[in-house]
Every structure is written in structure tokens, then in C-alpha cells.
């Protein structure tokens, strides 16, 4: 009965999709890179002027893209801290991403509150270099004058929503975004202002956390703006995740998340307890090594790309003739082995062939992610269906091994802007609630993502044997890694 838009402001670009309110069909879309000046070959900057996000948004929305749109949802990169003064002006550029400058501050904060267990009980996550609470500690230690001037804290999607609404007195956020700050508890649904003070040295104004189907406000032109959320939560919502669904994301590092009815406190630090965009919870387990293990193997074998590595791996067989790779090339977070290295075990004359090493790299990566899935399963999270995301999900070697190693149906969605689609779905929900056509507890049902569906079938027993081979090597090399 109408159209809505979802925009995703990622670290590098803005994507906008315009969708049919009833079906979710994408009608038109826009794209623009962020005008951030990063020299070629340099790392992405840790400090970014938020105006770059607005400029990118404006460019992406050009050419009448938003004509006829009734509501907009905003998804944005997580962990981007925007410190404002009492007048709402930026104190300094936004601190984005996994800011390595803040690593010492993270350890500081863990000690200051009394250890890992205290943080897990307080907010369901341990401070990491990326978290806003850790960046506040760094700010207080390194830029004390900017810290003193900081009176208001927003994240990227909060700031964009606030700007779209004309910078009103009321500033809002959602449960999903708030759960990644390190000073809001998904378990209690409330802020911990004492943790802001612990990090920054004083308390600040924090945005109001509104419900998943609530509107943040309406522009003077009558355009409804929904609550907004973080990219992870928006992508989960765009995919239509429900109970029994998990997502395995294959980047350089990997992550596993699933929808769950309650927050999970985890003193080991392996589970990050986030909230989702529907009122439920989204526990996440991260591995430091995923596609980087494949790239390293391809380089070792002199192969030009991952497609060539996959083709080579397909010439081997499950179990790689006994060759096992523990892919802990950058240390590992799951299990918690920050200073370890990778391991190649099972070297015999018959296993020392390029195709077996290629196969072992795929199996090692996927077994590491299966370990992460088991962390969630061990806490009562139901996993019946697994969505596999990332460019590597398209590789034949991944698709051949993943169902048998994960022991579940694997769904490989067609590439799409799921975070932007999730933001649009949130906008449709808020619009429907405001018009009295949708229940605030039940999001609109949109058509599912087009996808390949892969079943473990008869190879389930083979996959269990390969997993056991991996676990045996892991336990022999790092005894008790998942019990410590």
C-alpha cells in the first residue's frame, strides 16, 4: 500500500533501498561512497567527520530516489562513537571501528570494574577496542579536554536519525545499537551510567532507547523516521531470522550469531550478548580467523585467488587424508588463545599434496566456526538452519563441506543489501503501527531472500568424523581450551 526506504551507512559507503511496504520487493536503490580521504594503501582512518556520512547519504538519495517514500529506517556501522558538547556540536571526529589505540583502555576497564565476570554480569560483554565505552576511556586518558567537553553520546545511526529529524531536543536509539555500547545491558534493558562515569570520568546525556516498532519522529515534511539500529541487527532483520536460525559470516575473521529469547551472560568472554531489532536477543561469537586462513593457504600454494584454492580443494576428499589445520593464524578468540599460532597436523607422505592442504584449510576454517556454533548450542541456543554470508560462501569447497560440518541445513542467500533491507522493513513496521495496520509486537512479513538450500544428507556421519578429527588435534595441542 506504499513505499518505504532503508539506508545503510557502512564504514565506506551508503546504500539506500526503496521497498514495497507489503512485500519488501526492492523497487529502486542508490549508492554513494563516503567522501573520506584515505591515502591508497593506508588503513581506514579511526577518526571520521560524521558530516561525511550525511554527504554520502545526500548523494545516494539523489535523482528523486526517495520520491513518494513514507518512512525511512536507518542502519549504520556499529561501535562508531560520536561525542557531542552540550550544544550538540561534535567535540572531535567520530571514533569508528576496532580502534587499536583503545586496546590498553579495554584492559584498564576490565580491571577497573573488578574483572571479566563483573563486566559479563553488568552488560553481557567484555570491553574490546571497538566498544564505545572503551573509546571513552581512551578519550579521558588521551584527550582530557575533549573528554571534559563531552556532554552527549551518540552512535552513528543515532546521529543520522537525529540529523534527519532536524536535530530535535529528543535523541533516541534502539536496543540493538545500545547493546553494543558497553554501557547498556541487554539483560535488564537499562543503561549503566556508572560505567560511562568509570570510563569518561563524568556522566553524560544518553539517547532514549525506544522500542523496535516505535518511530523516532516525523520530519516537518511528514516523513516518518523509525528507531534505526546497528548493521548486524539490521542484516539479521533483513534476512528474516527467527528462532532456530543462525548466521555464519565469513570475513577475514568470522562470526556466528543466532536469535534467542534471553540475554546470555558469559564470563569467558566468548559470547557477546547483543539485542536484536525485534525485541529478542542476538548472542554473537567471533573467531579471529576465517577467510584469512584461506588467503594464507592460497598464497603458500602460489594460487591467484580463492576460486583456484576451492577448485584444488575439491580434488581432495573429506578429512583431507588426515591433514588437519587449526587456523589460529592471528591467535584466536574462540577458543581464547590470543598468543597462539596455527597448527598443521597429520603430515604423512600420502597427505603432503597441495589438494589436501587446500581441503584442510577449508575444513579448518569451517570447524573453527562450528566450534563457535557449539558455544551457542552449549548455552541452549537452538540451531536448526544456518545462513552462510560473505563472498566465500559462494565457493564450491565451502558449500560442499559446510552442511556436513555444521550438522544442519545451510542457506546461502543471494548477495543483497540485507542491512538496508532490514532498515526498510523496520520503517514499514513503524509506519504500519503508526497507521494502526500492524501490531507493535509483530513485524511485517516480507518475502524471504532468494537462496540456495544445502542439506547435510547422507554425509552427516562423514562430517562428524571430520569434526572429531579436528577436535582431537585441538584438544591435543590446546588441552582444555574451551574449559578454561
Amino acid at each position: 500500500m506504499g513505499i518505504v526506504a532503508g539506508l545503510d551507512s557502512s564504514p565506506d559507503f551508503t546504500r539506500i533501498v526503496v521497498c514495497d511496504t507489503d512485500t519488501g520487493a526492492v523497487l529502486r536503490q542508490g549508492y554513494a561512497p563516503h567522501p573520506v580521504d584515505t591515502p591508497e594503501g593506508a588503513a581506514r582512518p579511526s577518526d571520521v567527520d560524521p558530516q561525511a556520512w550525511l554527504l554520502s547519504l545526500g548523494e545516494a538519495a539523489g535523482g528523486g530516489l526517495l520520491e513518494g517514500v513514507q518512512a525511512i529506517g536507518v542502519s549504520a556501522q556499529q561501535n562508531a562513537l560520536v561525542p557531542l558538547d552540550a550544544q550538540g556540536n561534535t567535540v572531535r571526529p567520530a571514533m569508528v571501528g576496532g580502534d587499536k589505540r583503545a586496546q590498553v583502555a579495554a584492559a584498564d576497564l576490565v580491571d577497573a570494574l573488578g574483572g571479566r565476570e563483573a563486566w559479563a554480569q553488568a552488560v553481557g560483554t567484555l570491553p574490546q577496542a571497538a566498544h564505545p565505552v572503551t573509546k571513552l576511556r581512551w578519550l579521558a586518558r588521551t584527550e582530557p579536554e575533549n573528554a571534559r567537553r563531552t556532554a552527549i553520546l551518540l552512535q552513528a545511526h543515532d546521529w543520522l536519525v537525529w540529523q534527519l529529524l532536524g536535530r530535535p531536543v529528543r535523541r533516541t536509539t534502539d536496543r540493538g545499537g545500545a547493546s553494543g555500547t558497553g554501557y547498556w545491558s541487554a539483560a535488564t534493558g537499562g543503561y549503566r551510567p556508572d560505567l560511562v562515569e568509570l570510563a569518561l570520568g563524568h556522566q553524560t546525556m544518553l539517547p532514549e532507547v525506544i522500542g523496535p516498532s516505535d518511530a523516532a519522529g516525523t520530519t516537518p515534511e511528514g516523513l516518518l523516521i523509525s528507531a534505526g539500529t546497528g548493521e548486524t541487527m539490521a542484516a539479521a532483520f533483513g534476512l528474516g531470522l527467527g528462532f532456530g536460525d543462525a548466521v555464519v559470516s565469513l570475513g577475514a575473521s568470522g562470526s556466528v550469531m543466532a536469535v534467542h529469547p534471553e540475554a546470555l551472560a558469559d564470563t569467558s568472554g566468548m559470547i557477546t550478548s547483543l539485542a536484536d531489532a525485534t525485541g529478542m536477543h542476538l548472542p554473537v561469537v567471533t573467531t579471529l580467523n576465517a577467510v584469512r586462513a584461506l588467503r594464507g593457504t592460497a598464497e603458500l600454494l602460489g594460487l591467484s585467488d580463492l576460486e583456484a584454492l576451492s577448485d584444488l580443494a575439491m580434488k581432495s576428499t573429506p578429512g583431507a587424508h588426515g591433514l588437519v589445520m587449526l587456523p589460529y593464524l592471528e591467535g584466536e578468540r574462540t577458543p581464547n588463545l590470543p598468543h597462539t599460532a596455527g597448527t598443521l597436523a597429520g603430515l604423512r607422505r600420502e597427505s603432503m599434496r597441495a589438494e589436501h592442504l587446500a581441503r584442510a584449510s577449508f575444513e579448518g576454517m569451517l570447524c573453527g566456526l562450528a566450534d563457535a556454533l557449539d558455544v551457542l548450542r552449549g548455552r541452549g541456543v537452538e540451531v536448526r538452519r544456518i545462513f552462510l554470508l560473505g563472498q566465500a560462501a559462494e565457493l564450491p569447497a565451502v558449500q560442499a563441506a559446510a552442511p556436513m560440518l555444521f550438522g544442519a541445513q545451510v542457506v546461502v542467500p543471494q548477495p543483497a543489501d540485507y542491512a538496508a533491507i532490514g532498515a526498510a522493513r523496520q520503517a514499514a513496521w513503524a509506519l504500519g503501527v503508526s497507521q494502526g495496520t500492524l501490531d507493535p509486537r509483530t513485524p511485517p512479513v516480507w518475502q524471504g531472500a532468494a537462496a540456495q538450500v544445502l542439506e547435510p544428507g547422507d554425509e552427516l556421519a562423514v562430517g562428524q568424523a571430520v569434526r572429531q578429527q579436528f577436535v582431537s588435534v585441538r584438544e591435543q595441542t590446546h588441552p582444555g581450551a574451551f574449559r578454561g
Side-chain angles (χ1 to χ4, degrees):
M1 297 299 293
I3 58 174
V4 292
L7 71 89
D8 175 39
S9 181
S10 83
D12 299 313
F13 54 79
T14 299
R15 287 195 191 276
I16 301 177
V17 296
V18 175
C19 298
D20 180 273
T21 307
D22 295 331
T23 66
V26 176
L27 307 175
R28 50 187 189 260
Q29 47 197 318
Y31 166 87
H34 289 170
V36 177
D37 185 21
T38 304
E40 190 172 344
R44 182 186 295 125
S46 298
D47 292 338
V48 174
D49 182 350
Q51 292 297 326
W53 308 333
L54 275 186
L55 291 168
S56 174
L57 192 164
E59 186 181 341
L65 183 76
L66 300 180
E67 190 175 333
V69 165
Q70 297 167 277
I72 293 180
V74 177
S75 155
Q77 59 181 302
Q78 286 154 243
N79 302 318
L81 178 70
V82 187
L84 305 177
D85 63 19
Q87 287 71 48
N89 301 312
T90 51
V91 168
R92 69 179 314 284
M95 301 176 69
V96 301
D99 196 328
K100 291 186 176 179
R101 297 173 301 183
Q103 285 175 337
V104 173
D108 263 4
L109 281 176
V110 172
D111 292 340
L113 193 64
R116 301 161 70 90
E117 187 166 353
W119 278 98
Q121 295 298 335
V123 289
T125 186
L126 302 181
Q128 306 285 340
H131 289 146
V133 71
T134 307
K135 291 166 180 170
L136 290 178
R137 182 71 157 198
W138 179 89
L139 193 64
R141 293 285 187 267
T142 313
E143 300 178 4
E145 182 53 37
N146 284 337
R148 279 191 290 273
R149 291 175 54 215
T150 298
I152 304 162
L153 299 177
L154 296 179
Q155 293 187 86
H157 83 266
D158 310 337
W159 187 85
L160 284 165
V161 165
W162 186 55
Q163 295 291 328
L164 289 172
L165 290 172
R167 296 165 57 106
V169 173
R170 181 193 190 213
R171 288 170 291 268
T172 62
T173 190
D174 86 306
R175 295 170 64 257
S179 67
T181 59
Y183 45 79
W184 185 88
S185 167
T188 65
Y191 279 117
R192 289 288 303 264
D194 57 314
L195 298 183
V196 174
E197 186 167 2
L198 178 70
L200 188 62
H202 61 88
Q203 294 196 11
T204 65
M205 294 180 68
L206 300 168
E208 176 189 345
V209 181
I210 62 177
S213 62
D214 291 344
T218 306
T219 68
E221 298 77 31
L223 190 64
L224 183 141
I225 309 294
S226 64
T229 194
E231 267 187 324
T232 297
M233 300 81 190
F237 197 43
L239 283 165
L241 296 196
F243 290 127
D245 289 337
V247 171
V248 172
S249 183
L250 302 176
S253 53
S255 67
V256 175
M257 63 180 178
V259 179
H260 197 58
E262 60 188 26
L264 298 177
D266 175 36
T267 56
S268 75
M270 285 191 290
I271 299 175
T272 298
S273 192
L274 299 178
D276 79 346
T278 72
M280 296 296 140
H281 296 269
L282 204 62
V284 180
V285 180
T286 302
T287 68
L288 295 182
N289 300 278
V291 175
R292 64 165 40 100
L294 303 183
R295 294 202 185 283
T297 307
E299 289 168 10
L300 181 65
L301 292 173
L303 301 174
S304 57
D305 53 34
L306 296 186
E307 287 73 17
L309 185 70
S310 173
D311 291 344
L312 187 60
M314 293 298 284
K315 295 176 181 175
S316 180
T317 53
H321 276 243
L323 207 56
V324 176
M325 179 185 289
L326 302 184
Y328 306 154
L329 308 185
E330 298 283 328
E332 191 45 83
R333 183 174 169 186
T334 307
N336 186 28
L337 299 166
H339 307 299
T340 194
T343 301
L344 191 61
L347 285 169
R348 295 184 178 86
R349 181 65 190 87
E350 62 271 18
S351 66
M352 294 178 71
R353 297 176 63 91
E355 62 265 30
H356 302 324
L357 178 56
R359 178 86 190 196
S361 70
F362 282 97
E363 291 179 346
M365 174 189 75
L366 293 169
C367 284
L369 288 159
D371 279 349
L373 272 168
D374 284 349
V375 170
L376 293 180
R377 285 171 166 142
R379 292 295 304 275
V381 177
E382 189 175 354
V383 178
R384 292 193 305 268
R385 181 172 65 158
I386 295 166
F387 286 79
L388 199 57
L389 302 184
Q391 282 188 314
E394 302 287 333
L395 296 173
V398 169
Q399 295 190 5
M404 71 169 88
L405 294 177
F406 293 156
Q409 182 187 83
V410 170
V411 178
V412 184
Q414 285 187 359
D417 302 318
Y418 291 109
I421 291 168
R425 189 178 177 210
Q426 187 193 65
W429 193 7
L431 180 65
V433 169
S434 74
Q435 296 174 336
T437 58
L438 287 177
D439 187 321
R441 295 161 300 181
T442 309
V445 178
W446 279 9
Q447 59 196 20
Q452 288 178 272
V453 178
L454 310 169
E455 301 283 356
D458 295 339
E459 295 193 308
L460 188 56
V462 176
Q464 289 173 334
V466 175
R467 273 295 311 280
Q468 187 52 52
Q469 182 176 268
F470 178 89
V471 169
S472 295
V473 172
R474 190 196 68 220
E475 279 298 300
Q476 187 175 3
T477 312
H478 306 286
F482 277 102
R483 295 193 294 273

